[in-house]
């Protein structure tokens, strides 16, 4: 009895302390803490050394191959101030933000550098640029925030003599707002944060916040069928698109006349996800919502992956998902605890042991509402459905810690690369009945292909988006980088993972096809489906100048 009372008293103390332990402490989330480096060394065999980035001056950048007549024509359209052929301008738009892209900018291989960067100022100028490039048989690569991790903005020439990056940063306007219909028209170069700032002045929000939010653009969201972290509440980006304008070699094309239509197949969805292969998206009409005035993010722990998946599936099928519903597997939860480090982590682990949680899986739930009453009702419905899974609450500090640190991953990649870590992500989705098998298959493929004497990979996974019929899985890989051939190291692992995904799920849930996934597209949509897309491309882009090598390979 004394022991029981003692545990009970400690239990109360721990319950209060654990919640405080998760309170965000601030500081730079781009810096890798020393305890995290030690944990990586112990867990993966990471050598204690640094491998800093090489300066840009050490990279090989070929001279521009843009034909003089094409250069002159582009200058006529835009003015010479907006046609850039200098070394640094072109190198700065050479690729996206995949692990292999970052490696190439560190001297491992050569980045695909465009022959010019052009910056049109409005949709009409974009169309004229496209027409010039088509007339001179020059490839066109649309470039928004440059956040693609699948080669979507790589300056590939294909069979063209030159390739031009069309940087859309000057297309930065909120064109119009219709508060009655709750529609907003944005130019394609508006970034996620700027879109929210512009809408907030009207008391509205888009609510689309992927991890690339800080840099990615409205046009990029549309071109890749992006999905945000609060998609359970706001929807995926294709659900938000009410209209789209695209500059093609065949002319300007506008779609979207009403909230619903039976006038044949919805051609908007042919453009959304087209990845620049059919033309350059210049404007997007989106559905917006009233700006939330209250938010609540909470953390819970469930015991075991299977129990966690069942809990999320229950929320989805009862239609009581929180706006953000994110479940980490035991490996990702362990990484989160380890990266937090110190007495806080020890306290949380002790608390969970006392609660008899043997295989912790962190669940983050977040609600956004326009009133306390709305939030309370939605939260009550979610937690009532969750009760059968016996969640252990870590309270709002854990949820707020996740919310404040949700963009830390991309910022910490450079620090991890400096330490010699191969750090990359991949994602997929499947129906609930296959989700467990899919996670096991992909994890086994990654662990098997990346393991080597003295080198043990960390493969973490979470459910990032849930639906009534299934969910997405998002994997993060950490492993010591192969000193001799790091590109082959990751390509071999990615190929193994893609082969494991093939029979069970989609090759991409929200990263798009780009270059990396193009070889797997036919297996998912069939050769007839590829022929359909190819025929659309031939109609809109008969000379194949639009984003060579993407989507269709």
């Amino acid at each position: 009895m004394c022991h029981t009372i003692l545990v009970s008293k400690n239990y109360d103390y721990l319950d209060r302390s654990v919640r405080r332990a998760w309170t965000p402490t601030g500081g730079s989330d781009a810096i890798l803490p020393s305890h995290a480096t030690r944990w990586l060394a112990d867990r993966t065999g990471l050598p204690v050394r640094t491998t800093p980035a090489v300066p840009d001056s050490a990279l090989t950048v070929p001279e521009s191959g843009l034909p003089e007549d094409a250069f002159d024509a582009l200058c006529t359209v835009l003015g010479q101030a907006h046609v850039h052929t200098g070394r640094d301008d072109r190198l700065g738009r050479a690729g996206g933000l995949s692990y292999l892209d970052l490696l190439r900018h560190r001297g491992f291989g050569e980045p695909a550098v465009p022959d010019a960067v052009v910056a049109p100022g409005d949709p009409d100028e974009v169309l004229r640029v496209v027409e010039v490039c088509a007339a001179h048989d020059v490839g066109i690569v649309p470039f928004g925030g440059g956040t693609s991790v699948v080669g979507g903005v790589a300056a590939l020439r294909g069979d063209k003599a030159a390739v031009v990056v069309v940087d859309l940063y000057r297309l930065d306007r909120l064109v119009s707002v219709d508060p009655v219909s709750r529609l907003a028209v944005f130019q394609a170069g508006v970034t996620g944060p700027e879109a929210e700032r512009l809408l907030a002045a009207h008391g509205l929000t888009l609510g689309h916040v992927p991890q690339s939010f800080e840099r990615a653009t409205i046009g990029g969201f549309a071109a890749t069928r992006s999905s945000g972290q609060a998609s359970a509440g706001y929807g995926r980006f294709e659900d938000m698109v009410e209209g789209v304008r695209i500059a093609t070699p065949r002319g300007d094309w506008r779609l979207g006349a009403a909230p619903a239509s039976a006038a044949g197949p919805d051609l908007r969805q042919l453009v959304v996800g087209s990845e620049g292969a059919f033309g350059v998206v210049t404007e997007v009409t989106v559905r917006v919502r009233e700006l939330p005035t209250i938010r609540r993010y909470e953390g819970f722990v469930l015991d075991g992956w299977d129990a966690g998946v069942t809990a999320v599936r229950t929320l989805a099928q009862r239609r009581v998902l929180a706006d953000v519903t994110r479940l980490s597997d035991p490996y990702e939860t362990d990484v989160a605890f380890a990266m937090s480090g110190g007495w806080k982590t020890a306290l949380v682990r002790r608390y969970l042991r006392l609660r008899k949680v043997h295989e912790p899986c962190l669940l983050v739930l977040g609600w956004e509402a326009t009133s306390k009453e709305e939030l309370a009702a939605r939260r009550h419905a979610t937690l009532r459905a969750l009760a059968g899974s016996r969640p252990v609450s870590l309270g709002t500090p854990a949820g707020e810690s996740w919310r404040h640190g949700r963009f830390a991953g991309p910022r910490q990649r450079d620090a991890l690369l400096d330490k010699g870590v191969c750090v990359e992500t991949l994602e997929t989705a499947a129906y609930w009945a296959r989700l467990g098998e899919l996670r096991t298959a992909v994890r086994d493929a990654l662990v098997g292909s990346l393991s080597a004497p003295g080198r043990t990979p960390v493969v973490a996974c979470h459910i990032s988006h849930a639906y009534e019929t299934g969910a997405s899985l998002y994997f993060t890989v950490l492993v010591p980088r192969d000193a001799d051939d790091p590109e082959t190291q990751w390509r071999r692992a990615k190929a193994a993972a893609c082969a494991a995904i093939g029979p069970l799920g989609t090759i991409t849930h929200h990263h798009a096809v780009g270059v990396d996934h193009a070889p797997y597209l036919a297996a998912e949509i069939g050769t007839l489906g590829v022929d359909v897309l190819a025929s659309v491309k031939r109609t809109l882009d008969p000379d194949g100048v639009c984003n060579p090598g993407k989507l269709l390979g």
Side-chain angles (χ1 to χ4, degrees):
M1 181 177 292
C2 292
H3 176 71
T4 303
I5 294 173
L6 180 63
V7 171
S8 177
K9 289 181 178 178
N10 284 339
Y11 196 159
D12 293 339
Y13 164 74
L14 283 170
D15 184 72
R16 294 190 300 271
S17 300
V18 164
R19 291 166 185 264
R20 289 197 299 271
W22 279 90
T23 302
T25 56
S28 173
D29 56 13
I31 299 173
L32 196 65
S34 58
H35 66 262
T37 302
R38 290 193 299 271
W39 179 84
L40 278 171
D42 292 341
R43 181 69 183 274
T44 69
L46 180 70
V48 182
R49 66 174 184 231
T50 59
T51 55
V54 300
D56 285 349
S57 58
L59 299 177
T60 300
V61 179
E63 294 296 321
S64 172
L66 184 67
E68 186 174 350
D69 56 349
F71 174 81
D72 291 341
L74 290 169
C75 288
T76 298
V77 169
L78 302 177
Q80 192 165 345
H82 299 300
V83 181
H84 309 283
T85 57
R87 179 187 187 279
D88 291 343
D89 293 319
R90 294 186 293 120
L91 183 59
R93 296 296 181 270
L97 292 178
S98 73
Y99 171 65
L100 295 183
D101 287 326
L102 298 180
L103 277 183
R104 292 180 188 118
H105 281 270
R106 287 170 171 260
F108 294 97
E110 296 183 1
V113 182
D115 296 287
V117 178
V118 301
D122 58 45
D124 292 332
E125 286 191 351
V126 174
L127 179 61
R128 293 176 66 192
V129 166
V130 170
E131 290 171 344
V132 166
C133 289
H136 292 271
D137 203 33
V138 171
I140 307 162
V141 179
F143 196 99
T147 61
S148 173
V149 293
V150 293
V153 294
L156 304 181
R157 286 168 176 76
D159 60 355
K160 310 304 173 190
V163 62
V164 167
V165 161
V166 180
D167 193 321
L168 300 168
Y169 77 93
R170 294 177 64 209
L171 274 71
D172 59 356
R173 292 181 54 222
L174 171 59
V175 178
S176 64
V177 175
D178 176 353
V180 177
S181 307
R182 287 195 178 172
L183 297 175
V185 180
F186 283 102
Q187 290 184 338
V190 178
T191 64
E194 183 65 4
E196 291 298 338
R197 186 189 70 80
L198 292 167
L199 287 172
H202 299 271
L204 299 169
T205 184
L206 183 58
H208 187 71
V209 186
Q211 197 171 44
S212 60
F213 173 74
E214 294 173 310
R215 290 182 54 170
T217 61
I218 295 291
F221 294 154
T224 60
R225 299 182 78 88
S226 175
S227 191
Q229 293 167 349
S231 64
Y234 292 95
R236 288 168 57 93
F237 197 74
E238 67 261 30
D239 302 323
M240 303 176 180
V241 174
E242 295 289 335
V244 64
R245 181 179 180 184
I246 180 172
T248 80
R250 292 285 303 278
D252 198 40
W253 193 18
R254 300 179 189 232
L255 292 162
S261 171
D266 187 353
L267 295 180
R268 289 173 302 182
Q269 295 303 324
L270 195 60
V271 173
V272 176
S274 59
E275 302 185 36
F278 300 157
V280 181
V281 173
T282 57
E283 287 182 354
V284 184
T285 303
V286 290
R287 178 259 298 145
V288 293
R289 294 185 178 179
E290 189 176 354
L291 187 68
T293 55
I294 183 169
R295 295 176 172 86
R296 185 181 177 97
Y297 283 74
E298 296 183 49
F300 300 86
V301 170
L302 300 173
D303 191 6
W305 173 252
D306 290 341
V309 171
T310 298
V312 174
R313 177 170 60 84
T314 298
L315 297 181
Q317 293 178 344
R318 293 186 184 177
R319 302 185 182 183
V320 290
L321 285 166
D323 296 316
V324 171
T325 304
R326 174 184 169 123
L327 175 72
S328 295
D329 76 355
Y331 300 99
E332 184 169 278
T333 302
D334 188 45
V335 171
F337 288 167
M339 292 301 180
S340 297
W343 66 270
K344 295 181 180 182
T345 298
L347 188 63
V348 172
R349 290 186 188 278
R350 181 184 175 194
Y351 175 63
L352 294 175
R353 284 196 299 270
L354 288 171
R355 295 297 302 265
K356 300 187 185 303
V357 175
H358 304 289
E359 195 178 43
C361 290
L362 180 63
L363 174 66
V364 174
L365 300 176
W367 300 266
E368 301 188 353
T370 56
S371 70
K372 291 181 179 179
E373 293 75 17
E374 178 196 351
L375 189 145
R378 293 187 57 215
R379 177 175 178 270
H380 176 73
T382 302
L383 297 187
R384 183 173 58 188
L386 188 64
S389 300
R390 304 180 65 185
V392 176
S393 174
L394 298 179
T396 55
E400 287 299 314
S401 180
W402 175 83
R403 187 166 77 91
H404 286 285
R406 60 184 166 177
F407 303 125
R411 296 175 186 168
Q412 289 177 340
R413 293 184 79 190
D414 283 333
L416 287 164
L417 286 166
D418 287 346
K419 297 291 185 182
V421 179
C422 165
V423 50
E424 186 56 300
T425 63
L426 60 90
E427 41 74 57
T428 179
Y431 295 119
W432 289 114
R434 290 183 165 183
L435 201 69
E437 185 182 358
L438 175 63
R439 172 179 168 268
T440 299
V442 174
R443 176 177 166 74
D444 287 350
L446 290 169
V447 171
S449 59
L450 289 169
S451 296
R455 188 166 64 209
T456 303
V458 171
V459 178
C461 175
H462 66 261
I463 289 177
S464 57
H465 307 83
Y467 311 93
E468 287 188 58
T469 55
S472 67
L473 295 177
Y474 193 97
F475 294 86
T476 300
V477 177
L478 299 167
V479 68
R481 185 167 66 231
D482 189 307
D484 298 321
D485 193 356
E487 181 173 348
T488 297
Q489 177 191 24
W490 176 247
R491 286 193 183 280
R492 182 170 56 243
K494 181 66 181 285
C498 289
I501 288 169
L504 300 170
T506 177
I507 198 63
T508 176
H509 172 262
H510 59 268
H511 281 172
V513 176
V515 174
D516 295 359
H517 296 146
Y520 306 94
L521 185 62
E524 182 161 332
I525 68 173
T527 55
L528 184 57
V530 173
D531 288 345
V532 170
L533 291 179
S535 67
V536 173
K537 183 170 176 66
R538 284 193 299 271
T539 298
L540 297 174
D541 179 24
D543 297 314
V545 299
C546 294
N547 217 4
K550 316 306 166 25
L551 186 62
L552 294 169

